[in-house]
Amino acid sequence: MTKILRYDSMNILVTGGAGFIGSHTAVTLAEAGYNPILIDDFSNAEPSVLDGLKSILGRAVTCYHGDCADRNLLRQIVSDFKISGVIHFAAFKAVGESMSDPLNYYRNNLGTTLALIEVMLEAGVSPFLFSSSCTVYGIPEKMPVTEETPVLPAMSVYGNTKQIGEEILQDTVAAGKKLKVILLRYFNPIGAHPSALIGELPRGVPGNIVPYMTQAAAGLRPPLTVYGNDYNTPDGYGVRDYIHVMDLAEAHVAALKYLLDKPDEPQCEVFNAGTGRGVSVLELIQSFERVTGVKMPYQIGPRRSGDVPMVYADAGKAQRVLGWQANRSLDEALADVWRWQQHLLK
Ligand code: WQD
């Protein structure tokens, strides 16, 4: 039975919409009654994601195949559709790669942001959600990090593109341009849609721990190397705030609704998108083994340069202001991502 979803006339432009967080947000937008309009250059996404979205939603999702730095393409989209808001995910996001290929990262991550702001202002589209990252906090003094925790000099080119992206939007609003902006600082997105029809599709060897774990557990990779267990943390392992990608997707819908309800005047607010819980790598491994019944092959190796010992969110502001909080457990995220990994093996 195809699920027929009622759509308001509200079209929401989702850049990088075929990517990991973008595709899961497209599902949540559609199920909340919006009509997601995707644009993706498929440099880090597979066209098969669109089939997954169609299976989940029971209808095709509009997707423009192109670079969102292309102002003419963006103008075509705002001419084809009345766009009521934009969520900007499109960016290169591999920390290590950003250090060896800085110009490509600055060109892409900043070029797309500038083009998008310019064309949205031309078209009078003001709700603008920007995909930012907890990486802007660097190595924070105090835990948990709040939105008032100082932004520290970036530890990677990738992190710097996020910081500069935030500054571009803050300065545009400060200049009185009619944008209603939320800077959403993600912690560590993990998991997959419970249907296992969409999930993370890392290209090459995964840099992030959870996709590497699932591939190692599936025997596709050598054992996981744990980057150090001699940190000044409760068990010596690195600590992060792992948030289910579906919770993160719902944070975007809550933020969008908040902006749509706000008066049309220039504004820019920051929100952390995390669970508020710190989890160590060892706890992550133990949770994975418990949930899947699969032994995780791993060894302890040296620390990875640039790694933060511990970072997790104070997620209170999003709850107070947006009425959103993460409510899926770590176990649920690991069960969903393992189901996704097994779907990929079929
Ligand atoms: C998590 C923990 C590692 C891999 C990055 C970006 C951040 C955001 C999320 C985009 C750490 C340990 C990892 C491995 C390991 N991306 N680890 N072995 O570095 O916290 O954040 O992804 O927005 O901006 O910086 O994520 O998954 O790489 O690391 O032991 O093979 O796992 O040391 O403690 P990270 P991660």
Side-chain angles (χ1 to χ4, degrees):
M1 161 66 172
T2 302
K3 206 162 138 188
I4 303 296
L5 294 153
R6 186 184 61 78
Y7 298 102
D8 291 342
S9 58
M10 280 197 178
N11 302 308
I12 305 298
L13 180 58
V14 183
T15 76
F20 176 36
I21 304 166
S23 57
H24 288 77
T25 303
V27 170
T28 311
L29 281 168
E31 292 181 343
Y34 299 96
N35 183 30
I37 305 292
L38 314 185
I39 175 171
D40 206 303
D41 64 5
F42 290 94
S43 62
N44 192 22
E46 301 294 334
S48 60
V49 169
L50 302 179
D51 300 327
L53 291 177
K54 186 172 182 180
S55 303
I56 294 169
L57 296 174
R59 61 109 173 166
V61 173
T62 304
C63 182
Y64 288 80
H65 187 154
D67 181 350
C68 70
D70 177 348
R71 287 166 175 74
N72 290 330
L73 176 55
L74 292 175
R75 288 181 182 118
Q76 182 62 53
I77 295 172
V78 298
S79 155
D80 293 347
F81 290 91
K82 182 186 180 320
I83 298 293
S84 299
V86 61
I87 308 180
H88 181 32
F89 292 107
F92 296 156
K93 61 169 187 175
V95 172
E97 182 187 60
S98 77
M99 302 306 282
S100 58
D101 192 8
L103 290 181
N104 211 16
Y105 268 67
Y106 285 117
R107 178 194 52 75
N108 183 65
N109 292 9
L110 301 183
T112 53
T113 303
L114 288 167
L116 197 61
I117 294 169
E118 287 163 22
V119 175
M120 291 308 115
L121 285 173
E122 277 171 19
V125 177
S126 68
F128 193 113
L129 295 187
F130 179 70
S131 165
S132 190
S133 167
C134 63
T135 200
V136 303
Y137 294 117
I139 300 183
E141 295 270 314
K142 279 172 52 192
M143 238 11 88
V145 289
T146 70
E147 289 80 358
E148 286 65 49
T149 298
V151 170
L152 295 178
M155 297 170 68
S156 70
V157 167
Y158 162 76
N160 205 28
T161 66
K162 288 301 178 183
Q163 285 184 11
I164 298 170
E166 289 194 356
E167 289 164 5
I168 290 170
L169 286 159
Q170 287 163 336
D171 292 346
T172 302
V173 166
K177 302 299 181 191
K178 277 186 74 174
L179 275 187
K180 301 190 285 188
V181 178
I182 280 184
L183 309 174
L184 212 47
R185 291 175 179 166
Y186 308 160
F187 284 70
N188 288 58
I190 63 167
H193 190 269
S195 67
L197 290 168
I198 56 173
E200 191 169 6
L201 282 168
R203 292 239 158 123
V205 180
N208 291 140
I209 190 163
V210 170
Y212 192 95
M213 280 170 63
T214 56
Q215 291 186 12
L220 302 173
R221 297 280 175 204
L224 169 73
T225 299
V226 172
Y227 296 142
N229 63 350
D230 58 352
Y231 284 105
N232 179 22
T233 61
D235 62 8
Y237 290 79
V239 173
R240 295 291 185 275
D241 184 330
Y242 296 100
I243 178 170
H244 196 301
V245 65
M246 292 308 294
D247 278 328
L248 186 56
E250 290 168 4
H252 288 83
V253 175
L256 179 70
K257 284 179 177 166
Y258 172 79
L259 287 180
L260 288 168
D261 292 345
K262 297 277 273 184
D264 259 359
E265 57 203 25
Q267 58 205 279
C268 185
E269 289 188 79
V270 179
F271 290 93
N272 284 339
T275 68
R277 291 188 304 274
V279 169
S280 79
V281 171
L282 181 61
E283 289 167 330
L284 190 67
I285 292 169
Q286 290 168 340
S287 174
F288 180 87
E289 293 182 333
R290 182 177 62 251
V291 161
T292 63
V294 175
K295 191 94 184 88
M296 175 57 62
Y298 72 95
Q299 68 216 350
I300 306 296
R303 294 179 176 186
R304 178 172 64 178
S305 73
D307 263 354
V308 175
M310 179 190 283
V311 62
Y312 60 93
D314 175 323
K317 182 181 175 189
Q319 187 175 358
R320 287 191 304 276
V321 179
L322 304 180
W324 168 87
Q325 65 178 13
N327 53 38
R328 292 169 178 86
S329 68
L330 178 70
D331 283 6
E332 191 174 341
L334 293 171
D336 288 340
V337 77
W338 182 238
R339 201 167 33 251
W340 163 243
Q341 179 64 60
Q342 291 172 299
H343 167 85
L344 289 174
L345 293 172
K346 282 180 193 147

